[in-house]
Amino acid sequence: MFTGIVECKGRVVEFKSLDNTESGGSGASLTIADAKDILGDCHLGDSIAINGTCLTVTEFSSDEFKVGLAPETLSRTNLGQLQPGDHVNLERALAAGHRFGGHFVQGHIDTTAEIIEITPDANSIWYKLRVADKKLMPYIIPKGFIALDGTSLTVCDVNDDDQ
């Protein structure tokens, strides 16, 4: 579980569609750098959200870590399209017994969304999104929440006509 509050930004070092190393597991993998702020208490097998997607650490150093990407993850996210140098949002999994802000975010991605409009409003910003999988619209409700690239956002309005 995550909060949807980004802890730091990381940088993509490498995406491999076929990683035959031991830590790559003969599948796709993603290596992220500039992650020192969240790796001090990291262990193999820990969960880290990359752009809101819960992924398992398969290798790490003091500043970099690698995760495996399952075919399901690649089909429901844009992680396979990331390029070296791209920045990503990072968050460690919640620790039991600690306070947290934000929402309970699972990190299990259902679909992607396109930002179609950004409107400043006093001290906030309204994002108008178009959800890729329209079958999910009945589950998006006012005062509920969604996560966009790992950032938890409160839903203020739903317009099924715009979808």
Side-chain angles (χ1 to χ4, degrees), residues 13-14 16 19-26 28-33 35-36 38-39 42-48 50 55-69 90:
V13 173
E14 181 177 41
K16 281 189 174 180
D19 186 343
N20 286 317
T21 65
E22 185 176 340
S23 62
S26 299
S29 70
L30 188 61
T31 302
I32 305 296
K36 183 172 126 177
I38 63 165
L39 294 176
C42 186
H43 299 89
L44 287 179
D46 280 359
S47 294
I48 294 178
I50 299 176
L55 297 164
T56 302
V57 175
T58 60
E59 182 180 319
F60 70 97
S61 67
S62 63
D63 187 60
E64 289 187 1
F65 68 98
K66 182 193 283 190
V67 295
L69 301 172
L90 302 175

PDB file of all heavy atoms in Angstrom, residues 13-14 16 19-26 28-33 35-36 38-39 42-48 50 55-69 90:
ATOM      1  N   VAL A  13      17.425   4.850 -16.026  1.00  0.00           N
ATOM      2  CA  VAL A  13      18.752   4.526 -16.553  1.00  0.00           C
ATOM      3  C   VAL A  13      18.596   3.608 -17.762  1.00  0.00           C
ATOM      4  O   VAL A  13      19.228   3.801 -18.793  1.00  0.00           O
ATOM      5  CB  VAL A  13      19.630   3.833 -15.480  1.00  0.00           C
ATOM      6  CG1 VAL A  13      20.940   3.345 -16.073  1.00  0.00           C
ATOM      7  CG2 VAL A  13      19.868   4.754 -14.308  1.00  0.00           C
ATOM      8  N   GLU A  14      17.713   2.589 -17.599  1.00  0.00           N
ATOM      9  CA  GLU A  14      17.601   1.591 -18.661  1.00  0.00           C
ATOM     10  C   GLU A  14      16.264   0.862 -18.570  1.00  0.00           C
ATOM     11  O   GLU A  14      15.803   0.511 -17.486  1.00  0.00           O
ATOM     12  CB  GLU A  14      18.748   0.588 -18.533  1.00  0.00           C
ATOM     13  CG  GLU A  14      18.772  -0.484 -19.574  1.00  0.00           C
ATOM     14  CD  GLU A  14      19.976  -1.405 -19.428  1.00  0.00           C
ATOM     15  OE1 GLU A  14      20.331  -1.756 -18.282  1.00  0.00           O
ATOM     16  OE2 GLU A  14      20.546  -1.776 -20.467  1.00  0.00           O
ATOM     17  N   LYS A  16      14.882  -2.642 -20.294  1.00  0.00           N
ATOM     18  CA  LYS A  16      15.248  -3.807 -21.100  1.00  0.00           C
ATOM     19  C   LYS A  16      13.987  -4.629 -21.324  1.00  0.00           C
ATOM     20  O   LYS A  16      13.331  -5.038 -20.358  1.00  0.00           O
ATOM     21  CB  LYS A  16      16.277  -4.683 -20.377  1.00  0.00           C
ATOM     22  CG  LYS A  16      17.680  -4.197 -20.436  1.00  0.00           C
ATOM     23  CD  LYS A  16      18.618  -5.268 -19.870  1.00  0.00           C
ATOM     24  CE  LYS A  16      20.057  -4.887 -20.048  1.00  0.00           C
ATOM     25  NZ  LYS A  16      20.962  -5.910 -19.504  1.00  0.00           N
ATOM     26  N   ASP A  19      15.594  -9.080 -20.156  1.00  0.00           N
ATOM     27  CA  ASP A  19      16.737  -9.000 -19.237  1.00  0.00           C
ATOM     28  C   ASP A  19      17.030 -10.403 -18.738  1.00  0.00           C
ATOM     29  O   ASP A  19      16.311 -10.949 -17.902  1.00  0.00           O
ATOM     30  CB  ASP A  19      16.398  -8.062 -18.080  1.00  0.00           C
ATOM     31  CG  ASP A  19      17.578  -7.812 -17.153  1.00  0.00           C
ATOM     32  OD1 ASP A  19      18.559  -8.583 -17.197  1.00  0.00           O
ATOM     33  OD2 ASP A  19      17.507  -6.845 -16.370  1.00  0.00           O
ATOM     34  N   ASN A  20      18.100 -11.011 -19.272  1.00  0.00           N
ATOM     35  CA  ASN A  20      18.447 -12.392 -18.918  1.00  0.00           C
ATOM     36  C   ASN A  20      19.368 -12.499 -17.708  1.00  0.00           C
ATOM     37  O   ASN A  20      19.834 -13.588 -17.398  1.00  0.00           O
ATOM     38  CB  ASN A  20      19.080 -13.102 -20.125  1.00  0.00           C
ATOM     39  CG  ASN A  20      18.032 -13.432 -21.168  1.00  0.00           C
ATOM     40  OD1 ASN A  20      16.941 -13.891 -20.841  1.00  0.00           O
ATOM     41  ND2 ASN A  20      18.349 -13.172 -22.429  1.00  0.00           N
ATOM     42  N   THR A  21      19.628 -11.385 -17.027  1.00  0.00           N
ATOM     43  CA  THR A  21      20.437 -11.467 -15.818  1.00  0.00           C
ATOM     44  C   THR A  21      19.600 -12.121 -14.715  1.00  0.00           C
ATOM     45  O   THR A  21      18.374 -12.227 -14.819  1.00  0.00           O
ATOM     46  CB  THR A  21      20.895 -10.073 -15.354  1.00  0.00           C
ATOM     47  OG1 THR A  21      19.748  -9.311 -14.970  1.00  0.00           O
ATOM     48  CG2 THR A  21      21.670  -9.346 -16.456  1.00  0.00           C
ATOM     49  N   GLU A  22      20.263 -12.507 -13.635  1.00  0.00           N
ATOM     50  CA  GLU A  22      19.549 -13.124 -12.519  1.00  0.00           C
ATOM     51  C   GLU A  22      18.485 -12.188 -11.955  1.00  0.00           C
ATOM     52  O   GLU A  22      17.357 -12.600 -11.669  1.00  0.00           O
ATOM     53  CB  GLU A  22      20.534 -13.520 -11.413  1.00  0.00           C
ATOM     54  CG  GLU A  22      19.881 -14.263 -10.276  1.00  0.00           C
ATOM     55  CD  GLU A  22      20.877 -14.723  -9.231  1.00  0.00           C
ATOM     56  OE1 GLU A  22      22.080 -14.804  -9.526  1.00  0.00           O
ATOM     57  OE2 GLU A  22      20.429 -14.995  -8.101  1.00  0.00           O
ATOM     58  N   SER A  23      18.818 -10.903 -11.826  1.00  0.00           N
ATOM     59  CA  SER A  23      17.853  -9.949 -11.273  1.00  0.00           C
ATOM     60  C   SER A  23      16.808  -9.515 -12.298  1.00  0.00           C
ATOM     61  O   SER A  23      15.797  -8.923 -11.942  1.00  0.00           O
ATOM     62  CB  SER A  23      18.575  -8.720 -10.717  1.00  0.00           C
ATOM     63  OG  SER A  23      19.283  -8.044 -11.742  1.00  0.00           O
ATOM     64  N   GLY A  24      17.040  -9.826 -13.582  1.00  0.00           N
ATOM     65  CA  GLY A  24      16.078  -9.491 -14.628  1.00  0.00           C
ATOM     66  C   GLY A  24      15.011 -10.547 -14.816  1.00  0.00           C
ATOM     67  O   GLY A  24      13.931 -10.278 -15.328  1.00  0.00           O
ATOM     68  N   GLY A  25      15.322 -11.777 -14.400  1.00  0.00           N
ATOM     69  CA  GLY A  25      14.332 -12.844 -14.429  1.00  0.00           C
ATOM     70  C   GLY A  25      13.865 -13.264 -15.810  1.00  0.00           C
ATOM     71  O   GLY A  25      12.779 -13.809 -15.965  1.00  0.00           O
ATOM     72  N   SER A  26      14.659 -13.005 -16.846  1.00  0.00           N
ATOM     73  CA  SER A  26      14.307 -13.359 -18.224  1.00  0.00           C
ATOM     74  C   SER A  26      13.022 -12.695 -18.698  1.00  0.00           C
ATOM     75  O   SER A  26      12.248 -13.262 -19.466  1.00  0.00           O
ATOM     76  CB  SER A  26      14.209 -14.886 -18.386  1.00  0.00           C
ATOM     77  OG  SER A  26      15.460 -15.468 -18.090  1.00  0.00           O
ATOM     78  N   ALA A  28      11.098  -8.368 -18.812  1.00  0.00           N
ATOM     79  CA  ALA A  28      11.401  -6.942 -18.915  1.00  0.00           C
ATOM     80  C   ALA A  28      11.865  -6.410 -17.564  1.00  0.00           C
ATOM     81  O   ALA A  28      11.439  -6.901 -16.509  1.00  0.00           O
ATOM     82  CB  ALA A  28      10.167  -6.174 -19.389  1.00  0.00           C
ATOM     83  N   SER A  29      12.735  -5.400 -17.599  1.00  0.00           N
ATOM     84  CA  SER A  29      13.194  -4.771 -16.362  1.00  0.00           C
ATOM     85  C   SER A  29      13.388  -3.277 -16.585  1.00  0.00           C
ATOM     86  O   SER A  29      13.514  -2.810 -17.716  1.00  0.00           O
ATOM     87  CB  SER A  29      14.501  -5.396 -15.860  1.00  0.00           C
ATOM     88  OG  SER A  29      15.574  -5.049 -16.705  1.00  0.00           O
ATOM     89  N   LEU A  30      13.403  -2.563 -15.473  1.00  0.00           N
ATOM     90  CA  LEU A  30      13.579  -1.112 -15.484  1.00  0.00           C
ATOM     91  C   LEU A  30      14.555  -0.765 -14.379  1.00  0.00           C
ATOM     92  O   LEU A  30      14.393  -1.228 -13.239  1.00  0.00           O
ATOM     93  CB  LEU A  30      12.223  -0.445 -15.238  1.00  0.00           C
ATOM     94  CG  LEU A  30      12.101   1.056 -15.386  1.00  0.00           C
ATOM     95  CD1 LEU A  30      12.430   1.504 -16.809  1.00  0.00           C
ATOM     96  CD2 LEU A  30      10.685   1.494 -15.024  1.00  0.00           C
ATOM     97  N   THR A  31      15.576   0.022 -14.702  1.00  0.00           N
ATOM     98  CA  THR A  31      16.559   0.464 -13.715  1.00  0.00           C
ATOM     99  C   THR A  31      16.407   1.970 -13.523  1.00  0.00           C
ATOM    100  O   THR A  31      16.358   2.725 -14.496  1.00  0.00           O
ATOM    101  CB  THR A  31      17.994   0.122 -14.167  1.00  0.00           C
ATOM    102  OG1 THR A  31      18.076  -1.293 -14.380  1.00  0.00           O
ATOM    103  CG2 THR A  31      19.014   0.530 -13.118  1.00  0.00           C
ATOM    104  N   ILE A  32      16.337   2.377 -12.259  1.00  0.00           N
ATOM    105  CA  ILE A  32      16.093   3.765 -11.877  1.00  0.00           C
ATOM    106  C   ILE A  32      17.256   4.269 -11.034  1.00  0.00           C
ATOM    107  O   ILE A  32      17.708   3.580 -10.112  1.00  0.00           O
ATOM    108  CB  ILE A  32      14.788   3.892 -11.056  1.00  0.00           C
ATOM    109  CG1 ILE A  32      13.597   3.303 -11.814  1.00  0.00           C
ATOM    110  CG2 ILE A  32      14.540   5.334 -10.638  1.00  0.00           C
ATOM    111  CD1 ILE A  32      13.241   4.001 -13.097  1.00  0.00           C
ATOM    112  N   ALA A  33      17.738   5.492 -11.315  1.00  0.00           N
ATOM    113  CA  ALA A  33      18.805   6.139 -10.546  1.00  0.00           C
ATOM    114  C   ALA A  33      18.254   7.364  -9.831  1.00  0.00           C
ATOM    115  O   ALA A  33      17.078   7.683  -9.951  1.00  0.00           O
ATOM    116  CB  ALA A  33      19.951   6.539 -11.472  1.00  0.00           C
ATOM    117  N   ALA A  35      17.827   7.699  -6.719  1.00  0.00           N
ATOM    118  CA  ALA A  35      16.824   7.204  -5.779  1.00  0.00           C
ATOM    119  C   ALA A  35      17.369   7.048  -4.365  1.00  0.00           C
ATOM    120  O   ALA A  35      16.767   6.373  -3.526  1.00  0.00           O
ATOM    121  CB  ALA A  35      16.275   5.870  -6.279  1.00  0.00           C
ATOM    122  N   LYS A  36      18.505   7.677  -4.094  1.00  0.00           N
ATOM    123  CA  LYS A  36      19.168   7.543  -2.790  1.00  0.00           C
ATOM    124  C   LYS A  36      18.223   7.825  -1.615  1.00  0.00           C
ATOM    125  O   LYS A  36      18.270   7.141  -0.592  1.00  0.00           O
ATOM    126  CB  LYS A  36      20.367   8.488  -2.751  1.00  0.00           C
ATOM    127  CG  LYS A  36      21.196   8.422  -1.496  1.00  0.00           C
ATOM    128  CD  LYS A  36      22.444   9.269  -1.674  1.00  0.00           C
ATOM    129  CE  LYS A  36      22.544  10.244  -0.542  1.00  0.00           C
ATOM    130  NZ  LYS A  36      23.746  11.059  -0.596  1.00  0.00           N
ATOM    131  N   ILE A  38      15.235   7.115  -1.066  1.00  0.00           N
ATOM    132  CA  ILE A  38      14.303   6.052  -0.668  1.00  0.00           C
ATOM    133  C   ILE A  38      14.960   4.687  -0.526  1.00  0.00           C
ATOM    134  O   ILE A  38      14.283   3.705  -0.240  1.00  0.00           O
ATOM    135  CB  ILE A  38      13.105   5.945  -1.640  1.00  0.00           C
ATOM    136  CG1 ILE A  38      13.579   5.552  -3.031  1.00  0.00           C
ATOM    137  CG2 ILE A  38      12.304   7.234  -1.658  1.00  0.00           C
ATOM    138  CD1 ILE A  38      12.467   5.082  -3.937  1.00  0.00           C
ATOM    139  N   LEU A  39      16.273   4.615  -0.705  1.00  0.00           N
ATOM    140  CA  LEU A  39      16.941   3.314  -0.687  1.00  0.00           C
ATOM    141  C   LEU A  39      17.704   3.021   0.612  1.00  0.00           C
ATOM    142  O   LEU A  39      18.249   1.934   0.757  1.00  0.00           O
ATOM    143  CB  LEU A  39      17.889   3.189  -1.886  1.00  0.00           C
ATOM    144  CG  LEU A  39      17.195   3.159  -3.250  1.00  0.00           C
ATOM    145  CD1 LEU A  39      18.228   3.140  -4.370  1.00  0.00           C
ATOM    146  CD2 LEU A  39      16.253   1.973  -3.354  1.00  0.00           C
ATOM    147  N   CYS A  42      16.167  -0.031   2.097  1.00  0.00           N
ATOM    148  CA  CYS A  42      15.669  -0.960   1.080  1.00  0.00           C
ATOM    149  C   CYS A  42      16.226  -2.368   1.271  1.00  0.00           C
ATOM    150  O   CYS A  42      17.365  -2.549   1.718  1.00  0.00           O
ATOM    151  CB  CYS A  42      16.053  -0.444  -0.314  1.00  0.00           C
ATOM    152  SG  CYS A  42      15.354  -1.403  -1.664  1.00  0.00           S
ATOM    153  N   HIS A  43      15.405  -3.356   0.917  1.00  0.00           N
ATOM    154  CA  HIS A  43      15.795  -4.766   0.912  1.00  0.00           C
ATOM    155  C   HIS A  43      15.318  -5.395  -0.388  1.00  0.00           C
ATOM    156  O   HIS A  43      14.335  -4.929  -0.980  1.00  0.00           O
ATOM    157  CB  HIS A  43      15.162  -5.514   2.085  1.00  0.00           C
ATOM    158  CG  HIS A  43      15.562  -4.994   3.414  1.00  0.00           C
ATOM    159  ND1 HIS A  43      14.869  -3.993   4.059  1.00  0.00           N
ATOM    160  CD2 HIS A  43      16.588  -5.329   4.226  1.00  0.00           C
ATOM    161  CE1 HIS A  43      15.445  -3.739   5.212  1.00  0.00           C
ATOM    162  NE2 HIS A  43      16.501  -4.519   5.336  1.00  0.00           N
ATOM    163  N   LEU A  44      15.990  -6.456  -0.822  1.00  0.00           N
ATOM    164  CA  LEU A  44      15.499  -7.194  -1.982  1.00  0.00           C
ATOM    165  C   LEU A  44      14.076  -7.652  -1.699  1.00  0.00           C
ATOM    166  O   LEU A  44      13.768  -8.111  -0.598  1.00  0.00           O
ATOM    167  CB  LEU A  44      16.384  -8.404  -2.280  1.00  0.00           C
ATOM    168  CG  LEU A  44      17.745  -8.109  -2.886  1.00  0.00           C
ATOM    169  CD1 LEU A  44      18.527  -9.404  -3.093  1.00  0.00           C
ATOM    170  CD2 LEU A  44      17.629  -7.351  -4.193  1.00  0.00           C
ATOM    171  N   GLY A  45      13.223  -7.508  -2.670  1.00  0.00           N
ATOM    172  CA  GLY A  45      11.830  -7.911  -2.512  1.00  0.00           C
ATOM    173  C   GLY A  45      10.909  -6.820  -2.018  1.00  0.00           C
ATOM    174  O   GLY A  45       9.689  -7.008  -1.987  1.00  0.00           O
ATOM    175  N   ASP A  46      11.465  -5.663  -1.621  1.00  0.00           N
ATOM    176  CA  ASP A  46      10.615  -4.551  -1.190  1.00  0.00           C
ATOM    177  C   ASP A  46       9.795  -4.034  -2.369  1.00  0.00           C
ATOM    178  O   ASP A  46      10.181  -4.179  -3.532  1.00  0.00           O
ATOM    179  CB  ASP A  46      11.461  -3.388  -0.652  1.00  0.00           C
ATOM    180  CG  ASP A  46      11.920  -3.596   0.776  1.00  0.00           C
ATOM    181  OD1 ASP A  46      11.578  -4.632   1.376  1.00  0.00           O
ATOM    182  OD2 ASP A  46      12.632  -2.709   1.279  1.00  0.00           O
ATOM    183  N   SER A  47       8.679  -3.396  -2.048  1.00  0.00           N
ATOM    184  CA  SER A  47       7.841  -2.763  -3.056  1.00  0.00           C
ATOM    185  C   SER A  47       8.152  -1.278  -3.118  1.00  0.00           C
ATOM    186  O   SER A  47       8.218  -0.612  -2.089  1.00  0.00           O
ATOM    187  CB  SER A  47       6.363  -2.940  -2.715  1.00  0.00           C
ATOM    188  OG  SER A  47       6.005  -4.300  -2.800  1.00  0.00           O
ATOM    189  N   ILE A  48       8.350  -0.783  -4.326  1.00  0.00           N
ATOM    190  CA  ILE A  48       8.502   0.650  -4.585  1.00  0.00           C
ATOM    191  C   ILE A  48       7.553   0.991  -5.724  1.00  0.00           C
ATOM    192  O   ILE A  48       7.485   0.260  -6.719  1.00  0.00           O
ATOM    193  CB  ILE A  48       9.954   1.017  -4.962  1.00  0.00           C
ATOM    194  CG1 ILE A  48      10.896   0.789  -3.782  1.00  0.00           C
ATOM    195  CG2 ILE A  48      10.043   2.469  -5.438  1.00  0.00           C
ATOM    196  CD1 ILE A  48      12.369   1.088  -4.069  1.00  0.00           C
ATOM    197  N   ILE A  50       6.689   3.098  -8.856  1.00  0.00           N
ATOM    198  CA  ILE A  50       7.260   3.933  -9.907  1.00  0.00           C
ATOM    199  C   ILE A  50       6.078   4.474 -10.702  1.00  0.00           C
ATOM    200  O   ILE A  50       5.310   3.698 -11.282  1.00  0.00           O
ATOM    201  CB  ILE A  50       8.203   3.145 -10.836  1.00  0.00           C
ATOM    202  CG1 ILE A  50       9.378   2.573 -10.042  1.00  0.00           C
ATOM    203  CG2 ILE A  50       8.706   4.037 -11.981  1.00  0.00           C
ATOM    204  CD1 ILE A  50      10.316   1.700 -10.867  1.00  0.00           C
ATOM    205  N   LEU A  55       5.972  -2.148  -7.737  1.00  0.00           N
ATOM    206  CA  LEU A  55       6.939  -3.048  -8.357  1.00  0.00           C
ATOM    207  C   LEU A  55       7.902  -3.582  -7.308  1.00  0.00           C
ATOM    208  O   LEU A  55       8.135  -2.949  -6.288  1.00  0.00           O
ATOM    209  CB  LEU A  55       7.700  -2.306  -9.464  1.00  0.00           C
ATOM    210  CG  LEU A  55       6.807  -1.827 -10.610  1.00  0.00           C
ATOM    211  CD1 LEU A  55       7.518  -0.786 -11.458  1.00  0.00           C
ATOM    212  CD2 LEU A  55       6.353  -2.998 -11.458  1.00  0.00           C
ATOM    213  N   THR A  56       8.479  -4.753  -7.586  1.00  0.00           N
ATOM    214  CA  THR A  56       9.352  -5.434  -6.643  1.00  0.00           C
ATOM    215  C   THR A  56      10.813  -5.186  -6.966  1.00  0.00           C
ATOM    216  O   THR A  56      11.242  -5.381  -8.118  1.00  0.00           O
ATOM    217  CB  THR A  56       9.076  -6.951  -6.672  1.00  0.00           C
ATOM    218  OG1 THR A  56       7.701  -7.160  -6.364  1.00  0.00           O
ATOM    219  CG2 THR A  56       9.942  -7.696  -5.667  1.00  0.00           C
ATOM    220  N   VAL A  57      11.569  -4.762  -5.960  1.00  0.00           N
ATOM    221  CA  VAL A  57      13.003  -4.509  -6.122  1.00  0.00           C
ATOM    222  C   VAL A  57      13.733  -5.842  -6.278  1.00  0.00           C
ATOM    223  O   VAL A  57      13.625  -6.726  -5.428  1.00  0.00           O
ATOM    224  CB  VAL A  57      13.567  -3.731  -4.911  1.00  0.00           C
ATOM    225  CG1 VAL A  57      15.081  -3.579  -5.006  1.00  0.00           C
ATOM    226  CG2 VAL A  57      12.888  -2.372  -4.784  1.00  0.00           C
ATOM    227  N   THR A  58      14.481  -5.977  -7.386  1.00  0.00           N
ATOM    228  CA  THR A  58      15.235  -7.207  -7.637  1.00  0.00           C
ATOM    229  C   THR A  58      16.741  -7.010  -7.507  1.00  0.00           C
ATOM    230  O   THR A  58      17.492  -7.975  -7.457  1.00  0.00           O
ATOM    231  CB  THR A  58      14.927  -7.764  -9.047  1.00  0.00           C
ATOM    232  OG1 THR A  58      15.299  -6.776 -10.022  1.00  0.00           O
ATOM    233  CG2 THR A  58      13.454  -8.108  -9.189  1.00  0.00           C
ATOM    234  N   GLU A  59      17.176  -5.749  -7.468  1.00  0.00           N
ATOM    235  CA  GLU A  59      18.598  -5.407  -7.316  1.00  0.00           C
ATOM    236  C   GLU A  59      18.657  -3.944  -6.905  1.00  0.00           C
ATOM    237  O   GLU A  59      17.819  -3.147  -7.332  1.00  0.00           O
ATOM    238  CB  GLU A  59      19.301  -5.607  -8.658  1.00  0.00           C
ATOM    239  CG  GLU A  59      20.776  -5.337  -8.669  1.00  0.00           C
ATOM    240  CD  GLU A  59      21.378  -5.565 -10.068  1.00  0.00           C
ATOM    241  OE1 GLU A  59      21.006  -6.538 -10.753  1.00  0.00           O
ATOM    242  OE2 GLU A  59      22.219  -4.725 -10.462  1.00  0.00           O
ATOM    243  N   PHE A  60      19.633  -3.585  -6.061  1.00  0.00           N
ATOM    244  CA  PHE A  60      19.767  -2.176  -5.694  1.00  0.00           C
ATOM    245  C   PHE A  60      21.166  -1.874  -5.189  1.00  0.00           C
ATOM    246  O   PHE A  60      21.903  -2.764  -4.763  1.00  0.00           O
ATOM    247  CB  PHE A  60      18.723  -1.761  -4.645  1.00  0.00           C
ATOM    248  CG  PHE A  60      18.928  -2.345  -3.281  1.00  0.00           C
ATOM    249  CD1 PHE A  60      19.576  -1.622  -2.289  1.00  0.00           C
ATOM    250  CD2 PHE A  60      18.477  -3.623  -2.973  1.00  0.00           C
ATOM    251  CE1 PHE A  60      19.770  -2.147  -1.023  1.00  0.00           C
ATOM    252  CE2 PHE A  60      18.667  -4.164  -1.721  1.00  0.00           C
ATOM    253  CZ  PHE A  60      19.311  -3.430  -0.749  1.00  0.00           C
ATOM    254  N   SER A  61      21.520  -0.586  -5.272  1.00  0.00           N
ATOM    255  CA  SER A  61      22.757  -0.058  -4.706  1.00  0.00           C
ATOM    256  C   SER A  61      22.354   1.143  -3.865  1.00  0.00           C
ATOM    257  O   SER A  61      21.173   1.318  -3.564  1.00  0.00           O
ATOM    258  CB  SER A  61      23.731   0.343  -5.823  1.00  0.00           C
ATOM    259  OG  SER A  61      23.206   1.446  -6.548  1.00  0.00           O
ATOM    260  N   SER A  62      23.297   1.989  -3.515  1.00  0.00           N
ATOM    261  CA  SER A  62      22.952   3.144  -2.677  1.00  0.00           C
ATOM    262  C   SER A  62      22.131   4.192  -3.427  1.00  0.00           C
ATOM    263  O   SER A  62      21.440   4.994  -2.808  1.00  0.00           O
ATOM    264  CB  SER A  62      24.220   3.796  -2.117  1.00  0.00           C
ATOM    265  OG  SER A  62      25.020   4.290  -3.177  1.00  0.00           O
ATOM    266  N   ASP A  63      22.176   4.189  -4.770  1.00  0.00           N
ATOM    267  CA  ASP A  63      21.499   5.229  -5.544  1.00  0.00           C
ATOM    268  C   ASP A  63      20.598   4.700  -6.654  1.00  0.00           C
ATOM    269  O   ASP A  63      19.797   5.428  -7.201  1.00  0.00           O
ATOM    270  CB  ASP A  63      22.542   6.168  -6.162  1.00  0.00           C
ATOM    271  CG  ASP A  63      21.909   7.367  -6.841  1.00  0.00           C
ATOM    272  OD1 ASP A  63      21.216   8.137  -6.159  1.00  0.00           O
ATOM    273  OD2 ASP A  63      22.089   7.510  -8.063  1.00  0.00           O
ATOM    274  N   GLU A  64      20.722   3.410  -7.008  1.00  0.00           N
ATOM    275  CA  GLU A  64      19.959   2.824  -8.115  1.00  0.00           C
ATOM    276  C   GLU A  64      19.228   1.578  -7.659  1.00  0.00           C
ATOM    277  O   GLU A  64      19.653   0.910  -6.724  1.00  0.00           O
ATOM    278  CB  GLU A  64      20.881   2.413  -9.278  1.00  0.00           C
ATOM    279  CG  GLU A  64      21.475   3.529 -10.055  1.00  0.00           C
ATOM    280  CD  GLU A  64      22.237   3.024 -11.286  1.00  0.00           C
ATOM    281  OE1 GLU A  64      22.283   1.802 -11.543  1.00  0.00           O
ATOM    282  OE2 GLU A  64      22.785   3.873 -11.979  1.00  0.00           O
ATOM    283  N   PHE A  65      18.142   1.261  -8.381  1.00  0.00           N
ATOM    284  CA  PHE A  65      17.477  -0.016  -8.149  1.00  0.00           C
ATOM    285  C   PHE A  65      16.858  -0.518  -9.447  1.00  0.00           C
ATOM    286  O   PHE A  65      16.638   0.242 -10.389  1.00  0.00           O
ATOM    287  CB  PHE A  65      16.425   0.082  -7.040  1.00  0.00           C
ATOM    288  CG  PHE A  65      15.211   0.915  -7.382  1.00  0.00           C
ATOM    289  CD1 PHE A  65      14.039   0.323  -7.819  1.00  0.00           C
ATOM    290  CD2 PHE A  65      15.236   2.290  -7.231  1.00  0.00           C
ATOM    291  CE1 PHE A  65      12.926   1.088  -8.121  1.00  0.00           C
ATOM    292  CE2 PHE A  65      14.126   3.066  -7.518  1.00  0.00           C
ATOM    293  CZ  PHE A  65      12.956   2.458  -7.969  1.00  0.00           C
ATOM    294  N   LYS A  66      16.634  -1.821  -9.487  1.00  0.00           N
ATOM    295  CA  LYS A  66      16.040  -2.470 -10.647  1.00  0.00           C
ATOM    296  C   LYS A  66      14.763  -3.175 -10.204  1.00  0.00           C
ATOM    297  O   LYS A  66      14.687  -3.710  -9.097  1.00  0.00           O
ATOM    298  CB  LYS A  66      17.001  -3.495 -11.247  1.00  0.00           C
ATOM    299  CG  LYS A  66      16.448  -4.190 -12.513  1.00  0.00           C
ATOM    300  CD  LYS A  66      17.268  -5.404 -12.908  1.00  0.00           C
ATOM    301  CE  LYS A  66      18.544  -5.025 -13.590  1.00  0.00           C
ATOM    302  NZ  LYS A  66      19.220  -6.227 -14.183  1.00  0.00           N
ATOM    303  N   VAL A  67      13.770  -3.171 -11.095  1.00  0.00           N
ATOM    304  CA  VAL A  67      12.514  -3.889 -10.873  1.00  0.00           C
ATOM    305  C   VAL A  67      12.195  -4.690 -12.124  1.00  0.00           C
ATOM    306  O   VAL A  67      12.611  -4.342 -13.226  1.00  0.00           O
ATOM    307  CB  VAL A  67      11.341  -2.935 -10.559  1.00  0.00           C
ATOM    308  CG1 VAL A  67      11.573  -2.209  -9.245  1.00  0.00           C
ATOM    309  CG2 VAL A  67      11.112  -1.947 -11.693  1.00  0.00           C
ATOM    310  N   GLY A  68      11.450  -5.764 -11.944  1.00  0.00           N
ATOM    311  CA  GLY A  68      10.938  -6.528 -13.068  1.00  0.00           C
ATOM    312  C   GLY A  68       9.584  -5.980 -13.487  1.00  0.00           C
ATOM    313  O   GLY A  68       8.841  -5.438 -12.656  1.00  0.00           O
ATOM    314  N   LEU A  69       9.269  -6.099 -14.775  1.00  0.00           N
ATOM    315  CA  LEU A  69       7.989  -5.638 -15.306  1.00  0.00           C
ATOM    316  C   LEU A  69       7.275  -6.816 -15.964  1.00  0.00           C
ATOM    317  O   LEU A  69       7.730  -7.329 -16.988  1.00  0.00           O
ATOM    318  CB  LEU A  69       8.203  -4.521 -16.332  1.00  0.00           C
ATOM    319  CG  LEU A  69       8.916  -3.273 -15.834  1.00  0.00           C
ATOM    320  CD1 LEU A  69       9.228  -2.341 -17.002  1.00  0.00           C
ATOM    321  CD2 LEU A  69       8.078  -2.554 -14.799  1.00  0.00           C
ATOM    322  N   LEU A  90       8.611   8.427  -7.379  1.00  0.00           N
ATOM    323  CA  LEU A  90       8.940   7.265  -6.552  1.00  0.00           C
ATOM    324  C   LEU A  90       8.325   7.389  -5.164  1.00  0.00           C
ATOM    325  O   LEU A  90       8.313   8.476  -4.582  1.00  0.00           O
ATOM    326  CB  LEU A  90      10.459   7.122  -6.414  1.00  0.00           C
ATOM    327  CG  LEU A  90      11.256   6.984  -7.706  1.00  0.00           C
ATOM    328  CD1 LEU A  90      12.750   6.972  -7.407  1.00  0.00           C
ATOM    329  CD2 LEU A  90      10.844   5.733  -8.470  1.00  0.00           C
TER     330      LEU A  90
END
